[in-house]
């Protein structure tokens, strides 16, 4: 209600100015406009608004509800999970017993350590190699940068295929070594291009000034370019890191020895396929009927498989848009 | 893009000088190039076994060449053709039912005016993209599986119909598409949101001046802004038409049976790595790679014909 009736405005007109202002301060008559909405934009209809809220709430719930039940079940007692018939939705008595069980040595602990190691070493190698390559290709007019760039681009459009890659890894004697999980996918042309496009966007004048002062390319990269591109490097590091952490097929292909299994393989066999988890102290898990007994333990393994992502995610996710948009391929 | 003028003076520098000047840049690219050559290009040459009767004991050098025999076997193999059919069915299904979801979500999210609410929703819907397929399939198993939450609830309420969503071959396409949507639709909106954020507000303002209501604005301003991105993603999808979530399918192949879940990649894996028919599997994989490449290049050409930028630009 912005428009006031004529009588009221007539009354207001005779009052001294400061009294009017005072009254206005105490009782704001203007309807509360949304401060983010452009002035020309009409207010959404109630029906439209409701639909929007309902749909978005459902979307958010669809993501969060499964995670909620998994976490709650992992924190529940076995007894409670049996009473609930598997997954626990409403938390009752909470306990960390499932976690102490899987982390007190045995298969899961070892697999988690393997995954952590592969992710740490792999991400380090990938990020270092990619940043170097991206900077090396980012200076306009440098020697042979077009043909080298082409070498990277080709790998985005044509893959050699699984069989020859497998035969190569096996003939390099890398079967059952952790290098088989790191080296074949260590460089992603896509990530190199994300970094390169960002580096190319850095103002050349800054780099020229550094060059005038006698800095070489190594020093320019370390002292100027890297500090300016922390966000994009973090996004790329997350992409690589998540790739290593989640890699399941490579491990299935190249790691036959179950003592060397990373967490994803353990997750598949003991949680998805319901094979008895040795050394977890959960007693017998019934393979045939879907393994109700060890449910909190299983869910604890799942939580373990997500925790590193959840820990790093909040720090990196606000930079996603920047990283992904710079990744848009340019010819 | 045309070469810019600033490249011209550098062209007059002799290449030996350039080589000396840029030696540290070249040294920097070296590790990545070596890794790519070893693990991407050498295996490309390894595809030579598709024309051989390869045996691991004899190696690439000593194995006898057999011409196009393996390719003939591939194309005459009913199981391979089934795998191709499944692959295309899954791709088509995902294209129709998955592809529009991120666009719709992005439009919806873009209409949320409060930046804080938007950021929170975005952070939540991006999240599943970073979960592994093992985890996603396990979550689905726990909720929709025979002993899962839904069946448990049904049993508790005395309903005897078990939901066989996880093992039913007839609904397999729905199953894997909903898994893809759960995992990646949220992440898929990122590029659309970015495209939407580049639309100048003046365009909307001008549209309002011309009397356009919100739907006309969406049709004449918002959607045209998304068109290049949609075309780009369709092309990339087309190039990937023969690649459908390998990990996702191999994890569920046993549960629903190879009849509906065998795709080209899983078929290659079983023929090669499991049954040891290396040459046959390599031939099948090579066919897939070449067809995919042709699809990307063809689709990109098509995009140029329609005046869109496509994946890469003509120089």
């Amino acid at each position: 209600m912005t428009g006031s009736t004529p009588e009221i405005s007539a009354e207001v007109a005779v009052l001294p100015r400061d009294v009017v202002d005072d009254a206005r301060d105490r009782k704001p008559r203007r309807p509360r406009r949304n401060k983010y909405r452009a002035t020309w934009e009409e207010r959404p209809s109630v029906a439209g608004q409701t639909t929007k809220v309902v749909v978005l709430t459902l979307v958010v719930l669809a993501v969060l509800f499964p995670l909620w039940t998994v976490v709650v079940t992992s924190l529940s007692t076995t007894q409670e999970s049996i009473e609930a018939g598997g997954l626990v939705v409403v938390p009752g008595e909470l306990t960390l017993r499932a976690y102490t069980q899987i982390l007190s040595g045995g298969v899961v602990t070892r697999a988690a350590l393997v995954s952590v190691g592969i992710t740490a070493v792999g991400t380090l190698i990938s990020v270092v190699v990619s940043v170097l390559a991206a900077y090396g290709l980012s200076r306009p007019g440098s020697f042979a940068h077009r043909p080298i760039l082409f070498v990277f681009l080709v790998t985005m459009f044509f893959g050699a295929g699984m069989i020859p890659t497998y035969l190569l890894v096996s003939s390099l004697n890398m079967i059952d070594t952790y290098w088989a999980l790191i080296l074949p996918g260590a460089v992603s042309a896509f990530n190199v291009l994300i970094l390169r496009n960002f580096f190319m966007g850095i103002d050349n004048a800054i780099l020229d000034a550094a060059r005038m002062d006698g800095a070489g390319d190594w020093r320019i990269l370390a002292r100027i370019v890297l500090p300016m591109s922390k966000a994009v490097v973090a996004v790329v590091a997350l992409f690589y890191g998540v790739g290593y952490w989640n890699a399941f097929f490579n491990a299935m292909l190249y790691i036959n020895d179950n003592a060397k299994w990373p967490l994803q393989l353990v997750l598949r066999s003991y949680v998805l396929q319901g094979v008895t988890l040795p050394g977890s102290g959960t007693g017998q898990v019934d393979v045939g009927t879907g393994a109700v007994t060890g449910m909190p333990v299983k869910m604890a393994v799942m939580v373990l498989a997500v925790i590193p992502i959840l820990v790093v995610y909040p720090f990196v996710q606000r930079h996603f848009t920047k990283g992904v948009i710079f990744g848009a391929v340019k010819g | 893009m045309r070469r810019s003028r600033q490249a011209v003076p550098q062209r007059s520098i002799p290449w030996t000088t350039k080589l000396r000047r840029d030696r540290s840049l070249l040294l920097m690219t070296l590790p990545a190039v070596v890794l790519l050559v070893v693990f991407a290009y050498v295996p490309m040459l390894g595809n030579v076994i598709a024309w051989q009767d390869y045996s691991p004991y004899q190696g690439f050098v000593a194995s006898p060449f057999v011409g196009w025999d393996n390719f003939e076997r591939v194309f005459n193999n009913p199981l391979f053709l089934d795998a191709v059919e499944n692959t295309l069915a899954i791709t088509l299904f995902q294209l129709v039912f998955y592809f529009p979801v991120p666009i719709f979500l992005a439009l919806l999210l873009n209409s949320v005016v409060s930046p804080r609410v938007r950021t929170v929703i975005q952070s939540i819907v991006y999240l599943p993209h970073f979960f592994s397929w093992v985890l996603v399939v396990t979550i689905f198993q726990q909720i929709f599986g025979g002993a899962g939450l839904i069946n448990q609830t049904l049993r508790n309420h005395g309903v005897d119909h078990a939901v066989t969503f996880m093992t039913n071959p007839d609904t397999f396409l729905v199953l894997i598409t909903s898994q893809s949507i759960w995992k990646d639709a949220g992440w898929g909106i990122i590029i659309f949101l970015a495209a939407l954020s580049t639309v100048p507000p003046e365009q909307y303002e001008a549209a309002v001046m011309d009397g356009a209501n919100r739907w006309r604005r969406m049709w004449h301003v918002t959607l045209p802004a998304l068109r290049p991105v949609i075309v780009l993603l369709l092309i990339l999808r087309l190039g990937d038409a023969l690649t459908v979530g390998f990990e996702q399918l191999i994890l569920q192949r046993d549960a629903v049976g190879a009849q509906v879940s065998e795709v080209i990649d899983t078929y290659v894996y079983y023929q090669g790595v499991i049954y040891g028919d290396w040459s046959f599997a390599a031939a099948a994989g090579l066919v897939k790679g070449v067809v995919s490449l042709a699809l990307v290049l063809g689709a990109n050409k098509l995009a140029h014909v329609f005046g869109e930028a496509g994946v890469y630009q003509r120089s």
Side-chain angles (χ1 to χ4, degrees):
Chain A
M1 282 271 286
T2 26
S4 43
T5 53
E7 304 97 77
I8 296 174
S9 63
E11 262 178 49
V12 166
V14 296
L15 291 169
R17 183 166 292 273
D18 50 345
V19 175
V20 177
D21 280 347
D22 244 350
R24 209 174 276 153
D25 281 350
R26 256 179 260 125
K27 264 202 267 169
R29 280 289 170 82
R30 276 175 300 153
R32 281 183 351 113
R33 282 201 73 89
N34 195 312
K35 59 183 165 181
Y36 309 115
R37 199 180 297 280
T39 41
W40 42 261
E41 208 166 355
E42 56 277 69
R43 281 196 74 80
S45 66
V46 177
Q49 190 82 326
T50 319
T51 324
K52 201 194 291 182
V53 169
V54 168
V55 172
L56 286 174
T57 312
L58 285 179
V59 169
V60 167
L61 281 182
V63 173
L64 293 183
F65 176 72
L67 301 183
W68 165 259
T69 59
V70 167
V71 172
V72 169
T73 309
S74 77
L75 290 168
S76 302
T77 57
T78 313
Q79 186 58 36
E80 216 162 347
S81 135
I82 292 171
E83 277 163 20
L87 289 178
V88 183
V89 181
V90 187
E93 188 194 339
L94 298 182
T95 165
L96 284 173
R97 205 176 303 151
Y99 291 91
T100 51
Q101 258 173 25
I102 59 169
L103 291 176
S104 61
V107 178
V108 179
T109 316
R110 197 170 49 207
L113 290 176
V114 167
S115 283
V116 168
I118 290 168
T119 306
V121 176
T123 308
L124 187 70
I125 292 177
S126 291
V127 169
V128 169
V129 169
S130 303
V131 165
L132 287 177
Y135 181 73
L137 291 170
S138 71
R139 300 295 95 216
S142 74
F143 181 80
H145 75 287
R146 276 172 187 276
I148 299 176
L149 202 56
F150 189 72
V151 168
F152 283 81
L153 284 176
V154 167
T155 64
M156 289 177 69
F157 292 104
F158 183 76
M162 180 200 319
I163 301 297
T165 311
Y166 177 87
L167 292 175
L168 175 79
V169 169
S170 111
S171 63
L172 290 174
N173 284 322
M174 294 204 310
I175 298 289
D176 274 339
T177 68
Y178 297 133
W179 292 117
L181 304 182
I182 295 176
L183 294 181
V187 181
S188 133
F190 181 76
N191 287 341
V192 172
L193 288 181
I194 290 182
L195 292 166
R196 174 178 179 263
N197 283 351
F198 189 83
F199 293 164
M200 288 184 78
I202 293 176
D203 190 356
N204 227 341
I206 304 172
L207 307 189
D208 282 342
R211 213 164 273 128
M212 292 287 196
D213 292 342
D217 281 312
W218 294 93
R219 187 186 290 260
I220 290 176
L221 175 60
R223 292 290 179 79
I224 299 171
V225 173
L226 272 186
M228 288 176 80
S229 24
K230 276 183 202 149
V232 178
V233 174
V235 170
V236 167
L238 179 81
F239 288 172
Y240 276 126
V242 166
Y244 284 115
W245 183 260
N246 284 342
F248 149 75
F249 180 68
N250 275 353
M252 181 176 128
L253 206 53
Y254 301 130
I255 306 290
N256 304 320
D257 178 1
N258 15 355
K260 291 180 176 166
W261 274 6
L263 203 53
Q264 302 296 337
L265 279 183
V266 169
L267 191 64
R268 178 187 64 149
S269 77
Y270 299 129
V271 182
L272 188 57
Q273 299 179 333
V275 177
T276 312
L277 190 54
S280 65
T282 50
Q284 286 310 300
V285 177
D286 195 338
V287 183
T289 57
V292 174
T293 331
M295 196 56 100
V297 169
K298 286 176 157 193
M299 294 305 107
V301 179
M302 281 179 78
V303 174
L304 198 63
V306 192
I307 280 180
I309 293 168
L310 293 184
V311 169
V312 185
Y313 185 76
F315 298 102
V316 184
Q317 67 93 9
R318 65 206 162 93
H319 303 301
F320 280 164
T321 317
K322 203 186 266 177
V324 173
I325 298 319
F326 274 103
V329 184
K330 291 181 190 162
Chain B
M1 247 198 284
R2 302 267 160 222
R3 234 174 238 224
S4 54
R5 297 286 298 173
Q6 63 181 29
V8 175
Q10 279 161 339
R11 214 174 282 160
S12 56
I13 306 173
W15 69 270
T16 41
T17 318
K18 264 172 103 175
L19 179 60
R20 193 146 7 98
R21 183 194 66 189
D22 295 334
R23 61 185 186 279
S24 30
L25 293 179
L26 291 168
L27 201 61
M28 287 175 181
T29 48
L30 190 66
V33 171
V34 168
L35 279 170
L36 284 185
V37 166
V38 172
F39 291 104
Y41 284 86
V42 170
M44 283 182 200
L45 299 178
N47 272 313
V48 71
I49 68 165
W51 289 274
Q52 288 181 329
D53 182 13
Y54 176 80
S55 122
Y57 307 105
Q58 291 175 293
F60 302 91
V61 187
S63 293
F65 278 88
V66 292
W68 295 90
D69 281 9
N70 293 311
F71 292 92
E72 269 172 39
R73 275 167 67 209
V74 167
F75 285 115
N76 291 327
N77 187 310
L79 291 175
F80 176 76
L81 298 178
D82 281 351
V84 172
E85 207 181 304
N86 285 337
T87 309
L88 293 177
I90 293 172
T91 295
L92 195 67
F93 200 85
Q94 300 233 7
L95 203 59
V96 174
F97 292 99
Y98 169 87
F99 194 80
V101 178
I103 302 177
F104 171 73
L105 280 179
L107 289 174
L108 198 62
L109 204 53
N110 195 52
S111 72
V112 173
V113 286
S114 156
R116 190 177 303 158
V117 175
R118 201 153 63 180
T119 314
V120 170
I121 298 179
Q122 259 168 284
S123 331
I124 292 172
V125 297
Y126 288 169
L127 190 57
H129 172 74
F130 295 93
F131 296 164
S132 67
W133 270 116
V134 186
L135 195 86
V136 174
V137 173
T138 313
I139 286 177
F140 267 73
Q141 174 73 33
Q142 300 303 338
I143 290 180
F144 297 102
L149 199 59
I150 288 183
N151 278 320
Q152 199 58 48
T153 316
L154 288 180
R155 267 195 293 277
N156 291 348
H157 289 82
V159 182
D160 263 353
H161 284 307
V163 178
T164 56
F165 193 49
M166 293 300 289
T167 49
N168 188 349
D170 297 332
T171 55
F172 184 65
L173 284 175
V174 181
L175 173 71
I176 56 170
T177 306
S178 34
Q179 287 168 346
S180 299
I181 291 177
W182 191 79
K183 187 177 193 285
D184 280 330
W187 181 248
I189 69 177
I190 198 168
I191 194 157
F192 295 112
L193 282 179
L196 288 175
S197 72
T198 60
V199 182
E202 295 82 43
Q203 286 194 11
Y204 287 110
E205 220 165 329
V208 173
M209 293 295 182
D210 293 344
N213 64 17
R214 59 175 62 249
W215 299 110
R216 306 276 303 188
R217 291 204 298 272
M218 178 150 117
W219 185 252
H220 292 293
V221 182
T222 312
L223 286 179
L226 287 184
R227 198 178 57 186
V229 183
I230 294 176
V231 170
L232 175 78
L233 292 183
L234 273 174
I235 292 174
L236 291 177
R237 188 70 205 88
L238 194 63
D240 271 353
L242 300 184
T243 307
V244 278
F246 183 36
E247 295 197 346
Q248 183 189 10
L249 287 160
I250 211 155
L251 282 165
Q252 302 181 87
R253 189 176 177 270
D254 296 338
V256 293
Q259 193 66 36
V260 290
S261 68
E262 190 88 290
V263 291
I264 301 177
D265 283 332
T266 55
Y267 184 70
V268 168
Y269 168 72
Y270 276 96
Q271 292 309 308
V273 179
I274 304 295
Y275 303 126
D277 197 350
W278 300 105
S279 288
F280 177 84
L286 192 57
V287 168
K288 186 202 132 181
V290 170
V291 174
S292 293
L293 181 65
L295 283 175
V296 182
L297 299 181
N300 205 47
K301 192 112 204 155
L302 208 63
H304 287 159
V305 170
F306 285 109
E308 299 286 352
V311 183
Y312 53 86
Q313 286 162 350
R314 284 166 297 186
S315 47

